[in-house]
Amino acid sequence: MCGIIGAVSSSNVLPVLLDGLKRLEYRGYDSSGLAIIDQPGKFLRLRAPGKLVELERTVSANGDIDGLTGIAHTRWATHGPPTEQNAHPHISGDRIALVCNGIVENHEDLRIWLTDEGMEFQSETDTEVIVNLIRLHMDRGTDFMSAIRTSIKSLKGAFALGILHADEPGRIIGVRRGSPLIVGIGEDGIYLASDISAMIAQTRKFIVLENGDIVDINRGGMEITNLDGQVQHRDARISDLTPQSMEIGDYRHYMEKEIFEQGQAVSDTLEGRITASRVLEACFGTEADRIFNRTENIQILACGTSYHAGLVAKYWLEDAGMPCQVEIASEFTSRKHPTPNNCLVITLSQSGETIDTLTALDYAKQCGYAHSLAICNVPDSSLVRNSELVFMTHAGPEIGVASTKAFLTQLVALRLLSIVMARKDPSTAQDEADSIRELRELPANVESTLKMNSTIQEIAQQFADKQHALFLARGIHFPIALEGALKLKEISYVHAEAYAAGELKHGPLALVDRDMPVVSVAPNDTQLDKLKSNIEEVRARGGKLIVFADSETRLSSRENLQVINVASVESSIAPIIFTIPLQLLAYHVALIKGTDIDKPRNLAKSVTVE
Ligand code: M6R
């Protein structure tokens, strides 16, 4: 979603802003813009719809641009289409420039009021009300900072802002309410950004602003205050990220790189979390032992791919004797909940900034849910900071919009959790040492599964002229089918639906014909015989099947049935392994279709609006 980068520096900020925008691209956007104070009292503003290359063209056409203070923005359109006029920064009265990530919920009322007060609007955006509101207060005699404070108090919604005053070069005001915003402290300047990746070429030292913080960045340093002007102390930290860890290397796409990093990511996520025979439950937090002992049931909340990881976990946790509910985060907040006793709320999120998941966690707390655990890939994210217990997946930065290695490492985390929970119920008689051995073998199994790449590349050709696909699976692999379908539709724009295979004859079988490829995963588990019947039901109706099958299933290719063997693994880790061919299939189909794989249309990596 929208991204912010701002800089106050001792040298020209233009290259810093353009580099920052490039690094923010992965978040998803459809227009971009920047404003630089190129001489006291004057902004140079350039904006362009479409990809960043369009803005770069506009910049080049403007000759030499030089300024020591600037803000820039990638916009993911919400209010108003992605046009130049709607792109940020928005400027009011040639004096104040502002960029925003988030949504102003009461923008309609404010726009009417501001118009009545004589303010003019140039765009359809909700953001423009903020900049006009600040200017109105200043026109009435309020100073810049007080005008910002007064304006923020009348806004509803979640947002992060970067604000410049043309008469004050060397100064940027940042505001955080809900949406993420951090300050970078470099040798040559101070930076403001939506995430650390945007400023990683300048500095690794950063401060995470808290909700309600207002940072006043100036040449002398910075000061953080709250809405009432009281000074707030925030510690600076050093990020683990390096510019190198964000490089694409020899890969064609970040998604490809991230799929192939999964063996290492799984290994990194396990490291220090297990002994030869035991999961170290302190990896969920120092209070994990006490909280887990009290836990009687689990509620998982997440969105998209992370939600699918939650669905897999339900099978593992309930197998371990722990009742578990899983819900799409944005749906959880839509109704009242009778509060279950001693319920642990688990939120799953790659980014830790997904607003639906954050809101659902807040709502669960209001409803009286006892404890919270976040399983997340981004340290210092809002979700991590709002949760009692935390398990960090060590997947490394995930840039491709389609989540891959974050999903696999979430599954590893949830598998570890289910092993810990199984200790509570001796009747499940799970052998922890066996489960650990299976996990230890996992990185090698991931690596060998990735060797299916060239086979899957050939299979993907069958989708070259296809518009639709069905995914089928049973039991714990049904969520894997959901994930396979999501990957395919997200990056190749092929319409894909996943069904529990038992549901086939209750409706979707009507869709099956020669033009509807049917993809299935067939592990060697208790559901296999039933799945084989479902496969035959498709074949009998002329459907063409592609089945990724455990080599022990003795499924073999015949007319309308193409079987691709996957190395046989224990059923406890099979969902992790069977995810990989489906990721590779989506990737290769998207390559054939020629889509923008890392930045699929209309999507954002970090979804920070509800
Ligand atoms: O950062 P999160 O895990 O909270 O993100 C949730 C979803 O937006 C995300 O998984 C989305 O579905 C992915 N693009 C799927 O590949």
Side-chain angles (χ1 to χ4, degrees):
M1 273 224 157
C2 301
I4 293 173
I5 172 78
V8 170
S9 175
S10 51
S11 53
N12 187 7
V13 292
L14 180 68
V16 173
L17 298 184
L18 290 176
D19 180 71
L21 289 178
K22 193 121 211 73
R23 293 175 189 277
L24 288 168
E25 271 193 300
Y26 81 98
R27 293 168 69 93
Y29 72 107
D30 32 42
S31 62
S32 58
L34 55 84
I36 289 177
I37 305 180
D38 62 344
Q39 45 183 288
K42 198 175 150 297
F43 289 123
L44 173 80
R45 174 176 63 174
L46 300 171
R47 300 177 293 174
K51 292 292 176 198
L52 204 50
V53 61
E54 304 300 333
L55 180 68
E56 286 166 343
R57 252 183 225 129
T58 313
V59 167
S60 307
N62 264 271
D64 288 342
I65 299 173
D66 201 346
L68 306 182
T69 311
I71 49 175
H73 187 262
T74 47
R75 174 173 185 253
W76 188 82
T78 56
H79 299 72
T83 58
E84 180 179 344
Q85 245 176 356
N86 288 330
H88 302 205
H90 291 287
I91 293 184
S92 189
D94 291 333
R95 293 164 69 203
I96 305 151
L98 183 144
V99 289
C100 172
N101 169 19
I103 287 185
V104 180
E105 286 169 7
N106 56 340
H107 70 102
E108 281 170 338
D109 291 347
L110 287 169
R111 185 181 272 253
I112 293 168
W113 179 72
L114 285 162
T115 308
D116 287 348
E117 296 297 313
M119 288 287 159
E120 284 176 11
F121 284 82
Q122 315 297 326
S123 77
E124 297 163 71
T125 65
D126 52 338
T127 299
E128 203 181 355
V129 302
I130 316 176
V131 72
N132 273 342
L133 198 55
I134 296 170
R135 181 177 143 221
L136 184 80
H137 288 301
M138 292 187 73
D139 285 351
R140 293 179 174 174
T142 313
D143 67 84
F144 185 36
M145 184 55 111
S146 306
I148 291 174
R149 286 209 171 92
T150 312
S151 302
I152 302 303
K153 284 180 184 164
S154 48
L155 300 178
K156 291 191 183 138
F159 46 79
L161 310 175
I163 315 167
L164 299 183
H165 192 304
D167 295 333
E168 302 198 33
R171 189 179 191 196
I172 301 181
I173 310 288
V175 178
R176 176 178 187 172
R177 187 205 278 171
S179 304
L181 197 62
I182 61 173
V183 180
I185 304 156
E187 304 219 323
D188 296 331
I190 303 188
Y191 310 92
L192 185 71
S194 300
D195 64 45
I196 182 72
S197 67
M199 52 176 88
I200 198 69
Q202 324 306 325
T203 184
R204 289 171 55 213
K205 189 171 176 186
F206 69 104
I207 288 173
V208 180
L209 297 178
E210 304 268 345
N211 277 333
D213 283 355
I214 301 183
V215 62
D216 187 346
I217 297 170
N218 51 63
R219 294 216 183 287
M222 74 168 110
E223 184 179 60
I224 301 171
T225 53
N226 64 13
L227 262 187
D228 298 320
Q230 289 150 336
V231 173
Q232 307 292 306
H233 179 77
R234 307 281 176 239
D235 290 331
R237 308 150 198 218
I238 305 294
S239 169
D240 289 342
L241 282 186
T242 58
Q244 296 71 34
S245 64
M246 315 279 297
E247 297 302 332
I248 196 164
D250 292 335
Y251 292 96
R252 288 165 291 185
H253 298 94
Y254 278 104
M255 183 185 179
E256 184 186 30
K257 174 178 186 246
E258 288 154 9
I259 289 173
F260 281 90
E261 282 173 346
Q262 290 184 115
Q264 187 61 49
V266 165
S267 163
D268 291 346
T269 297
L270 287 170
E271 196 186 322
R273 269 80 186 259
I274 49 177
T275 66
S277 58
R278 219 175 144 72
V279 176
L280 300 168
E281 67 192 345
C283 64
F284 293 94
T286 47
E287 290 290 294
D289 187 24
R290 181 181 67 79
I291 291 173
F292 290 171
N293 277 333
R294 294 186 57 194
T295 300
E296 290 173 25
N297 49 73
I298 285 176
Q299 171 71 60
I300 296 181
L301 301 170
C303 307
T305 286
S306 295
Y307 168 68
H308 296 155
L311 291 175
V312 174
K314 180 178 169 72
Y315 289 84
W316 281 330
L317 287 163
E318 296 203 335
D319 196 44
M322 176 58 66
C324 174
Q325 299 298 320
V326 189
E327 190 155 3
I328 293 170
S330 56
E331 285 300 309
F332 183 76
T333 48
S334 67
R335 62 178 200 285
K336 286 187 181 167
H337 297 274
T339 309
N341 278 340
N342 295 320
C343 182
L344 174 66
V345 173
I346 301 180
T347 51
L348 305 174
S349 175
Q350 187 287 131
S351 63
E353 299 295 351
T354 303
I355 195 81
D356 289 329
T357 309
L358 286 166
T359 308
L361 173 61
D362 279 352
Y363 187 59
K365 288 180 187 170
Q366 283 166 33
C367 294
Y369 281 72
H371 297 292
S372 60
L373 160 66
I375 295 179
C376 188
N377 194 40
V378 179
D380 298 311
S381 59
S382 304
L383 203 62
V384 165
R385 283 182 294 116
N386 291 349
S387 302
E388 256 178 308
L389 299 179
V390 172
F391 182 100
M392 295 310 305
T393 51
H394 291 155
E398 191 180 69
I399 309 289
V401 162
S403 190
T404 52
K405 60 179 182 170
F407 177 70
L408 241 60
T409 54
Q410 283 171 346
L411 292 182
V412 170
L414 290 160
R415 181 72 199 132
L416 292 175
L417 181 72
S418 64
I419 295 170
V420 172
M421 290 298 172
R423 292 177 194 154
K424 290 163 82 83
D425 181 2
S427 73
T428 59
Q430 285 216 0
D431 188 333
E432 190 159 338
D434 278 352
S435 300
I436 299 291
R437 182 185 44 74
E438 290 154 17
L439 282 171
R440 284 191 177 283
E441 289 165 6
L442 188 56
N445 281 318
V446 168
E447 294 296 350
S448 64
T449 309
L450 286 166
K451 296 199 175 114
M452 298 172 73
N453 189 36
S454 49
T455 309
I456 294 172
Q457 186 176 6
E458 278 169 35
I459 289 167
Q461 294 297 337
Q462 297 173 35
F463 289 76
D465 59 347
K466 298 291 185 284
Q467 301 302 324
H468 306 275
L470 276 182
F471 284 68
L472 298 178
R474 278 183 170 261
I476 195 169
H477 286 82
F478 170 46
I480 301 306
L482 286 168
E483 176 57 9
L486 177 64
K487 286 287 91 88
L488 187 66
K489 71 182 121 186
E490 181 176 33
I491 59 165
S492 73
Y493 315 150
V494 170
H495 170 225
E497 296 297 336
Y499 285 94
E503 277 291 289
L504 196 60
K505 48 194 168 299
H506 300 292
L509 199 52
L511 295 170
V512 169
D513 64 14
R514 295 190 63 77
D515 289 326
M516 173 73 86
V518 179
V519 180
S520 185
V521 289
N524 190 19
D525 64 10
T526 55
Q527 303 296 305
L528 181 62
D529 288 341
K530 288 192 173 118
L531 182 71
K532 282 181 175 170
S533 305
N534 301 137
I535 288 170
E536 290 310 320
E537 287 158 12
V538 173
R539 280 189 70 228
R541 283 148 188 94
K544 295 189 91 173
L545 285 130
I546 295 160
V547 179
F548 296 101
D550 182 299
S551 48
E552 307 277 296
T553 57
R554 285 183 293 156
L555 266 166
S556 54
S557 298
R558 59 211 125 100
E559 196 188 355
N560 286 345
L561 170 61
Q562 188 172 5
V563 176
I564 303 102
N565 278 334
V566 179
S568 188
V569 292
E570 300 291 339
S571 61
S572 65
I573 57 161
I576 303 177
I577 292 301
F578 275 91
T579 300
I580 296 167
L582 302 189
Q583 293 171 337
L584 288 168
L585 181 66
Y587 177 71
H588 286 295
V589 174
L591 266 185
I592 293 165
K593 299 267 182 189
T595 56
D596 189 350
I597 292 181
D598 284 334
K599 298 184 280 293
R601 68 184 179 203
N602 306 336
L603 297 182
K605 181 70 181 163
S606 181
V607 182
T608 52
V609 294
E610 281 182 270

